[in-house]
Structure formats: structure tokens, C-alpha cells
Amino acid sequence: MRLTQLQIKNFRNLESVKLTPVQGVNLIVGDNASGKTSLLEAIYYLSHIRSFRTRYITDLIKRETSYLQLVANIETVESQIIPLGIRRSRNKSEVRVNKQPVKRVSDIAAQFPVLAIHPDSYKLITGSPSQRRQYLDWGVFHVEHGFFQSWQRFKKALMQRNAALKSKQKFDVCQLWNKEICKTADYIDQLRQQYFLKLLPYFQQLTNIFFLNDKVIIEYKRGWPADKSLFELLEANIQKERMKGFTYYGPHRAEITIKVNGQSAQTCISRGQQKTLVALMRLAQAMQFTEATNKTCVLLYDDLAAELDANHRKLILEVLSKMNIQLFLTAIEKDQIDLSAWQEKKMFHVEHGLLTETE
Amino acid sequence: MRLTQLQIKNFRNLESVKLTPVQGVNLIVGDNASGKTSLLEAIYYLSHIRSFRTRYITDLIKRETSYLQLVANIETVESQIIPLGIRRSRNKSEVRVNKQPVKRVSDIAAQFPVLAIHPDSYKLITGSPSQRRQYLDWGVFHVEHGFFQSWQRFKKALMQRNAALKSKQKFDVCQLWNKEICKTADYIDQLRQQYFLKLLPYFQQLTNIFFLNDKVIIEYKRGWPADKSLFELLEANIQKERMKGFTYYGPHRAEITIKVNGQSAQTCISRGQQKTLVALMRLAQAMQFTEATNKTCVLLYDDLAAELDANHRKLILEVLSKMNIQLFLTAIEKDQIDLSAWQEKKMFHVEHGLLTETE
């Protein structure tokens, strides 16, 4: 899948932007606050119906306008063109795939897989476990079709159980959902584990290149002890859980841990290393995705040059140029990024929210 | 005050580093994970007895060693040399000023005022209000000698009141601390307000240079409605507060709000703009400090080049070169930073935790 056309209207400082990107690399160059990141954010929004920068729609709709609109054409590997469209006002949202209205975010996400690496991405390492679960679930969702539904079922059951715990219902009422939770939990864990094992070789291959003298170990933890059954844990801990008002164990507590030379990557490596590691996690994911599905995906890489030294920058560009993805890069200065390894490339300049194609 | 000598032992990847900085600018150049940020972090630690990167001492003590040690000489404006020393193992901490042991962090902070701008600093804008209160309190602390003690008294009274609220004590027990809270609260608010008003012209002068076409407005909010008395609020809300278990109003809820063109700086401006704004907030603080106290302070500026365009970089360096501070800058590449405006300068290269002075 690749983005062949994009029209942006009233998105942040982008009043009216048209973009015809190439399949290879699209470099967007501009000064601070010109609109570089907003352009990537618009592409991300088209896939996720949410931003990587804000939770509030009012931040996204251009000031003194009443709605934002994104209209795009996506080309599948079979050269089929799928039109996508989003129109979002402060209190109404319309999403269309193939000119048909869709209700679920997952419907548009499935059509248009987009990954992003941006200045806040290092939170994938330093942030809460939920960020790392989302990372994992992106891959599972795009590869395993049963995942989304099971996850929805699990979430519903968990919500009901937690509500019963919080309102201090009798033990047997709290326990009502244990079976449903376990059924979906085991399946979710299985899919996550399978996906993680498929991801691992890609990640290891990359860390071998970038962390020459360091030992990087990434591990998946399912959210309950490896040697125990979830059902037994749910039954056994219900008294404690009723006190706290939430369910201790389950896939909603899953985690990925990353260690560099035996120390936690959360606090013991430099910012530059954290940024590199996050980039490698995403690249591994993009690689696995393209090889497992024979589809391509879109990778957004915001300000690749920031905080990376020349050697790491060169290595990252080398890896990117060999991947079968459509790439959108931003940079403050054009000579920060050497695009010579790409055949298909386009360069854009953005200034005060206006985009022009350049040489 | 300036740092004339620093010896670092077992701090992160810095096993043994000696540094003789100049009063002007000290540029530290190195690749990712070389130890640049750790060097700044060590200087910051010497002043704050905490890091700007981690809460855990085990992250700071070099692996396979049992303690870290920082020994420094500080020269006052009267050319007096004050030795500072910290030795910190996993469970013991010794801090010495002038060879005498000190117990309170504030004793060392008062001797050695250090400000830092680092990649996480943008959280001063996007993070919780407590970060902005800390920003304010740094300045009040270094200018107003009564502040620290009042703040300690306030915190103690607040803690007692909250404990009473949480344990659902009778109304009159909860109210016991209202008077003490109000007495210290009004004084704290007064000092903060005075400081904020002194800071404002510096900040406005800087934003006028950096945000040419944008209107930047910064406001101080004291933590309870401007037109109400804190005592009345404390008395009137005690029932609600007993339910929630904490005190709603007071200087512990103070806040600084920043708006750019009427929109919140937290979500509506670009990362580059946020970084610029944070830098200006710190520079304003350093300027006010040096002019109000006739002392100088130390400014640590980590990776100035990252995410700033050439124009902003140039402007920041221009402002810095005119300030009466001792400056420590880091950069990945030396040509990112033009030091020609400085008379007194030194350059260091750091690689795998080893520091060498270069030309």
C-alpha cells in the first residue's frame, strides 16, 4: 500500500496542501514551525484517526476554521486505488473508505498501515507499558485478523469485571467474567507471543548493526506469571482485587522489557541511544510487516537528524533505503539527509504551512 | 559563581574525568552515548543533588562500582574559592561545602546556582504544573532568603491537613491547620508574584526577538481564585475536601500558563517552538538572576542544535554570548555551534566516557 495522493485542508497550520508523493522517499524540508511535522501528523491521522501529538481535535483544526479534511488515494499492491476521506469538525466525524462511510477506526487502519517515528517516540521506551503494548498490537492487528475482535471482547469482559470489583459486588458476581477473560486472554497472549517471536530476528539483526559493543535484550511478558494459569490467579486474588478495584493479571498488564548490557533501557542509556533503539523497534516492525504480508507500509520519520550522530544517521538511512516501504522524512536542513541510495525520491519545501515541490 | 575545577568519579559512563572550565563557554563535543549529557548531568547533580534524567541513584553510579564522587571548586564573585564535594553510594550520601558536612540540599544549591536546558526540558511546557512551580521556585529561592523556610513550613502544614482529611477526621481537626497554611501561603504567593513580575520583562524581551509574528503571553496563577481569600476557601470546602482527601486550594496548586496567539503552548505549537520557548524561559531566569543578585550562574545547555533551525540557533547563541554566565554546551558536531562571539572559550571532546581538551 502506498499513498499516491493527499489533500489536506485546515489541519494545524496547513490550510490547503496537495501532495503527490513517490513510492520511495519523500523528504520534507522546512524551518521550525513551518508545518513539517503537521504534514506527517496528517498522514498518521488518516490511518489512526488520532494524532501522535495531541488528544484534542481543537488542536488539529486550523484556527478560525470549523473543520479539517483529509482526502487521499491509496494504491494497493494489486494496483487498485482506494480513496480514503476524513472530515472532522469539533463535534462530528465522517470517515469514508472507498466512498462508503465506516464506523470503526480499525476499518481505515486495516487499509492503510502507517508507522511513525517522531521526537516523542522515545516514550516507547521511557513511557508506560501501555505504549509498548500498543506497539506490539499494531503488528498483531495487521497480521492476525482475529485479533481485533478478541481484544474487543476481552476489553468488554475486563470492564465488566472491574466495575463489579469497584462497586464491591459479591465474590460470585465479580467472578462471573473470569471464564470469558481467560478464553480471550489466552488467545491474545498467543498471538502477541507469536508476533513477538517473528519480530525478534529483525530486531536482533538491527541491534547487531547499531549496538556493536552492547548486548541488547528485548523480552515479552504476558501480564501474568509464566508458570501460572490466569484462571487460577483470577479466582485466587479476588479478595485483594475487590479492595483495589481492578484486575491484577491479564493481557492488559503485558509488557516488553528492554535491557542494554543488563541495565534497563528506560533510564540507563543516553537519549541518542533511546532514539536509536525506538527507531530500530519500528524498523523491525516495518520489515516484518512487509515480508510477512507481501504488502508495503508507510513509514513517517520526523526529524531523523535530531540527536543522532553522523554515523548513526548514515546507518539508519542505509537500512531505510533497502526496505520496501514508502518513506516520509522531515529535516530542518536538506544536507542533513543523504538520499543518494534511493531511486525514487521527491523533495518538498514547507514554509508557513505552504508546500512546494523542489529539486 | 563559577565552576573552576571538577573531578568526576564513577558517574554514569564517566569513570574518571577532570575538567578545568573557563568562565565563558565550554563546548563538549561527542557522538551519541559518548558521555556528553552525563557530564552536564554531573554538574547539575552537584547543585541539585538530583539528576534531570532519573530518580534512581543506581542509574547514576557507574556499573560495577560502589559509589560516585564529585569534587569541585566554585569561585565566588569575590574570588573566594569554595570546595564542594559529594560522595554517594547506594545507601549513603555525604555532601560537603567548604569541607563541612551539610544536611540540606538547599545549602549546596544556594552556593552553586545551576540552570539546565536539556532534551526533556520541553516538559516544562507540556508536563505537569509542578514542573512550572519548580521553575518559579528556583528563582524565588535564589533571590529571596525567606522563601525556603516558609515553603517548608507550608508543606508541613499541608501534609498534616491532608492527613486529617484522608483519615476523615472531624471538621475541626481538619481545620486546625488552616491558619498556618494561609499565613505561609500568602507569603509564598507574594514572593512568587514579585519574582514573576521581575522575570516578565526579560521573557518578553526575548520572545519579541524569537517570536516575531506571534503573541506570547505568560501568566502566573497563584493556586486559588484571584478574588477570594484562601482562608475562606479552606473553611468553605472542607466537606468536599474530606471526600477527596486533599486540599483543593493553595500555592501547591499554583500554575504558569503560556499562550501563543491565544492558544495553549502545551499542544498548539511545534516541538521546535516548545524547545525555543523553554530555552527563553530559562535564559530570562538566568538574566534576571545575574542582574538582580550581581552573582553569576552556570547554564547547562544540552544539544542546542537538535530540532532548532539555523536562524534560531544563531539567535540563541547571540543571546547567550551577551549573558554574564558560565556556559556548558554540548553538540554532536562541532560545526553546529559557532563560538566566535565569545572571548573566553574551551572545547572538549568526549568519547567512551573519556574527556580531552581540544583546540
Side-chain angles (χ1 to χ4, degrees):
Chain A
M1 263 113 193
R2 67 179 182 114
L3 184 64
T4 55
Q5 277 280 347
L6 175 64
Q7 285 184 47
I8 301 172
K9 207 176 159 179
N10 300 337
F11 192 95
R12 298 244 189 212
N13 68 337
L14 308 169
E15 189 180 326
S16 177
V17 163
K18 270 192 191 184
L19 185 74
T20 311
V22 290
Q23 162 60 13
V25 62
N26 301 275
L27 177 64
I28 300 133
V29 175
D31 276 346
N32 291 149
S34 54
K36 297 184 300 295
T37 306
S38 302
L39 197 96
L40 300 194
E41 196 183 10
I43 301 174
Y44 188 91
Y45 193 83
L46 196 61
S47 165
H48 293 77
I49 326 280
R50 62 180 170 82
S51 155
F52 52 74
R53 284 205 281 182
T54 180
R55 284 182 298 146
Y56 306 109
I57 189 70
T58 43
D59 296 339
L60 295 178
I61 299 174
K62 190 175 158 60
R63 285 190 74 192
E64 287 155 17
T65 66
S66 57
Y67 68 94
L68 66 83
Q69 188 170 290
L70 304 170
V71 179
N73 280 338
I74 308 298
E75 192 182 310
T76 67
V77 274
E78 300 88 11
S79 300
Q80 192 196 345
I81 300 287
I82 303 173
L84 303 182
I86 295 174
R87 194 188 154 101
R88 184 81 163 84
S89 69
R90 276 169 185 82
N91 44 33
K92 202 179 159 194
S93 169
E94 288 172 80
V95 182
R96 284 168 185 268
V97 176
N98 250 330
K99 297 181 181 164
Q100 299 301 313
V102 296
K103 285 253 155 71
R104 294 186 311 183
V105 173
S106 59
D107 293 330
I108 198 161
Q111 294 293 339
F112 187 42
V114 171
L115 288 167
I117 302 168
H118 50 81
D120 259 352
S121 284
Y122 74 95
K123 286 188 189 156
L124 180 54
I125 288 179
T126 61
S128 70
S130 68
Q131 309 221 15
R132 290 178 286 284
R133 285 194 293 272
Q134 270 174 32
Y135 165 77
L136 216 51
D137 291 347
W138 184 96
V140 186
F141 169 78
H142 280 287
V143 181
E144 297 291 343
H145 297 298
F147 177 74
F148 184 72
Q149 234 181 343
S150 295
W151 181 244
Q152 295 289 87
R153 274 182 58 191
F154 169 77
K155 270 205 311 195
K156 202 180 143 195
L158 181 70
M159 235 169 61
Q160 301 275 10
R161 188 176 191 269
N162 282 346
L165 291 169
K166 264 200 197 92
S167 59
K168 304 239 193 295
Q169 303 269 339
K170 285 189 187 148
F171 285 140
D172 56 340
V173 177
C174 296
Q175 284 167 325
L176 265 182
W177 294 92
N178 289 5
K179 255 198 187 155
E180 171 77 358
I181 281 182
C182 290
K183 212 166 110 190
T184 44
D186 282 328
Y187 183 61
I188 288 164
D189 166 52
Q190 226 178 344
L191 293 181
R192 279 179 174 165
Q193 210 166 125
Q194 281 166 12
Y195 174 65
F196 184 78
L197 288 175
K198 284 182 204 156
L199 204 57
L200 211 51
Y202 295 95
F203 183 70
Q204 276 168 346
Q205 180 197 334
L206 287 167
T207 50
N208 288 345
I209 302 172
F210 284 80
F211 287 78
L212 282 176
N213 306 311
D214 300 305
K215 200 171 169 181
V216 181
I217 290 180
I218 185 166
E219 278 181 328
Y220 163 69
K221 287 177 175 158
R222 63 179 183 172
W224 67 98
D227 56 347
K228 294 230 165 94
S229 114
L230 181 57
F231 190 78
E232 278 164 28
L233 287 164
L234 291 179
E235 297 276 319
N237 288 285
I238 205 131
Q239 192 155 6
K240 269 200 290 182
E241 290 176 328
R242 258 174 94 241
M243 297 296 292
K244 293 279 180 188
F246 71 91
T247 303
Y248 277 4
Y249 300 103
H252 60 297
R253 304 296 299 275
E255 171 65 304
I256 294 175
T257 59
I258 306 153
K259 287 193 171 167
V260 179
N261 300 328
Q263 292 191 293
S264 160
Q266 290 201 315
T267 50
C268 289
I269 60 176
S270 81
R271 174 61 60 97
Q273 283 180 306
Q274 285 175 345
K275 285 195 133 183
T276 308
L277 216 43
V278 165
L280 301 187
M281 285 172 75
R282 290 274 177 231
L283 295 189
Q285 195 161 41
M287 284 173 166
Q288 195 276 337
F289 176 82
T290 49
E291 294 192 17
T293 64
N294 274 321
K295 293 181 200 167
T296 59
C297 65
V298 171
L299 181 69
L300 313 173
Y301 204 141
D302 195 20
D303 212 352
L304 182 147
E307 296 175 53
L308 288 189
D309 62 40
N311 179 40
H312 280 100
R313 214 147 68 206
K314 193 170 153 264
L315 281 173
I316 290 259
L317 287 169
E318 245 174 64
V319 171
L320 286 170
S321 70
K322 287 179 194 143
M323 287 170 68
N324 181 25
I325 49 168
Q326 186 181 29
L327 186 61
F328 291 83
L329 293 179
T330 68
I332 291 172
E333 281 141 40
K334 142 183 133 171
D335 55 8
Q336 289 174 330
I337 306 287
D338 175 11
L339 297 185
S340 55
W342 275 270
Q343 295 249 311
E344 278 191 272
K345 52 191 152 194
K346 254 193 186 182
M347 213 157 73
F348 303 88
H349 185 252
V350 57
E351 198 174 350
H352 303 310
L354 292 174
L355 190 80
T356 43
E357 221 174 295
T358 59
E359 282 304 299
Chain B
M1 265 110 192
R2 67 179 183 113
L3 185 65
T4 55
Q5 277 281 347
L6 176 62
Q7 285 184 46
I8 301 171
K9 207 176 160 178
N10 301 338
F11 192 95
R12 298 246 190 209
N13 67 337
L14 307 170
E15 189 181 327
S16 175
V17 164
K18 269 193 192 184
L19 185 74
T20 312
V22 289
Q23 161 61 13
V25 62
N26 300 276
L27 178 63
I28 300 132
V29 175
D31 276 347
N32 291 150
S34 54
K36 296 186 301 297
T37 307
S38 302
L39 197 95
L40 299 195
E41 196 183 10
I43 301 174
Y44 188 91
Y45 193 83
L46 195 62
S47 165
H48 293 78
I49 328 278
R50 62 180 169 80
S51 155
F52 52 74
R53 284 205 281 182
T54 181
R55 284 184 296 146
Y56 306 108
I57 189 70
T58 43
D59 296 341
L60 295 179
I61 299 174
K62 190 175 157 59
R63 284 190 73 191
E64 288 154 18
T65 65
S66 58
Y67 68 95
L68 65 83
Q69 188 170 289
L70 303 171
V71 179
N73 280 340
I74 308 297
E75 191 183 312
T76 67
V77 275
E78 300 88 10
S79 299
Q80 191 195 345
I81 299 286
I82 303 173
L84 303 182
I86 295 173
R87 194 187 154 100
R88 184 79 165 86
S89 67
R90 276 169 186 82
N91 43 32
K92 201 178 159 195
S93 170
E94 287 172 78
V95 181
R96 285 169 184 268
V97 176
N98 249 331
K99 298 185 181 162
Q100 299 302 311
V102 296
K103 284 254 153 70
R104 294 185 311 182
V105 173
S106 59
D107 292 332
I108 198 162
Q111 296 292 342
F112 186 43
V114 172
L115 288 168
I117 303 168
H118 50 82
D120 258 352
S121 284
Y122 74 96
K123 285 188 190 157
L124 180 53
I125 288 178
T126 62
S128 71
S130 68
Q131 308 221 14
R132 289 177 288 284
R133 284 195 294 272
Q134 269 175 32
Y135 165 77
L136 216 51
D137 291 347
W138 184 97
V140 185
F141 169 79
H142 281 286
V143 181
E144 297 290 343
H145 297 298
F147 177 74
F148 184 74
Q149 233 181 345
S150 294
W151 181 245
Q152 294 289 88
R153 273 182 59 192
F154 169 77
K155 270 206 309 195
K156 200 180 144 197
L158 181 70
M159 234 171 60
Q160 301 276 9
R161 189 176 192 269
N162 282 347
L165 291 170
K166 264 201 198 94
S167 59
K168 305 237 192 295
Q169 303 269 338
K170 285 187 188 150
F171 285 141
D172 56 341
V173 178
C174 296
Q175 284 167 326
L176 265 181
W177 295 91
N178 290 5
K179 257 199 187 155
E180 171 78 357
I181 282 182
C182 290
K183 211 167 108 190
T184 44
D186 281 328
Y187 183 61
I188 289 164
D189 167 53
Q190 228 179 341
L191 292 181
R192 279 179 175 166
Q193 210 166 125
Q194 281 167 10
Y195 174 65
F196 184 78
L197 288 175
K198 285 182 203 155
L199 205 56
L200 211 50
Y202 295 94
F203 182 71
Q204 276 169 345
Q205 179 198 333
L206 287 167
T207 51
N208 287 345
I209 303 172
F210 284 81
F211 287 79
L212 283 176
N213 306 309
D214 301 304
K215 201 172 168 177
V216 182
I217 291 180
I218 185 164
E219 279 180 327
Y220 162 69
K221 288 179 176 157
R222 63 178 182 173
W224 66 99
D227 56 348
K228 295 231 165 93
S229 113
L230 181 57
F231 189 77
E232 277 164 30
L233 287 164
L234 291 179
E235 297 275 319
N237 287 285
I238 204 132
Q239 192 156 6
K240 269 200 290 180
E241 290 175 329
R242 260 175 92 244
M243 296 296 291
K244 293 280 181 188
F246 71 91
T247 303
Y248 279 2
Y249 300 104
H252 61 296
R253 304 296 297 276
E255 170 66 305
I256 295 176
T257 59
I258 306 152
K259 286 191 173 171
V260 179
N261 299 328
Q263 292 190 293
S264 161
Q266 291 201 316
T267 50
C268 287
I269 60 175
S270 81
R271 173 62 59 97
Q273 283 180 307
Q274 285 175 346
K275 285 195 134 183
T276 309
L277 216 43
V278 165
L280 302 187
M281 285 172 75
R282 290 273 176 230
L283 296 189
Q285 195 160 41
M287 284 171 166
Q288 196 276 337
F289 177 82
T290 50
E291 296 193 14
T293 64
N294 274 323
K295 293 182 201 165
T296 59
C297 65
V298 171
L299 182 69
L300 313 172
Y301 205 142
D302 195 21
D303 212 352
L304 183 147
E307 296 175 53
L308 288 188
D309 62 41
N311 179 40
H312 281 100
R313 215 149 66 206
K314 193 169 154 267
L315 281 173
I316 290 258
L317 287 169
E318 246 174 64
V319 172
L320 286 170
S321 70
K322 287 177 195 143
M323 288 170 66
N324 181 24
I325 49 168
Q326 186 180 29
L327 187 61
F328 291 83
L329 292 179
T330 68
I332 290 171
E333 281 141 41
K334 137 184 136 173
D335 55 8
Q336 290 173 330
I337 306 288
D338 176 11
L339 298 184
S340 55
W342 276 270
Q343 295 248 311
E344 279 192 272
K345 51 192 155 195
K346 253 192 187 183
M347 212 157 72
F348 302 89
H349 185 251
V350 57
E351 199 175 347
H352 303 308
L354 292 174
L355 190 80
T356 43
E357 220 173 297
T358 59
E359 284 301 300

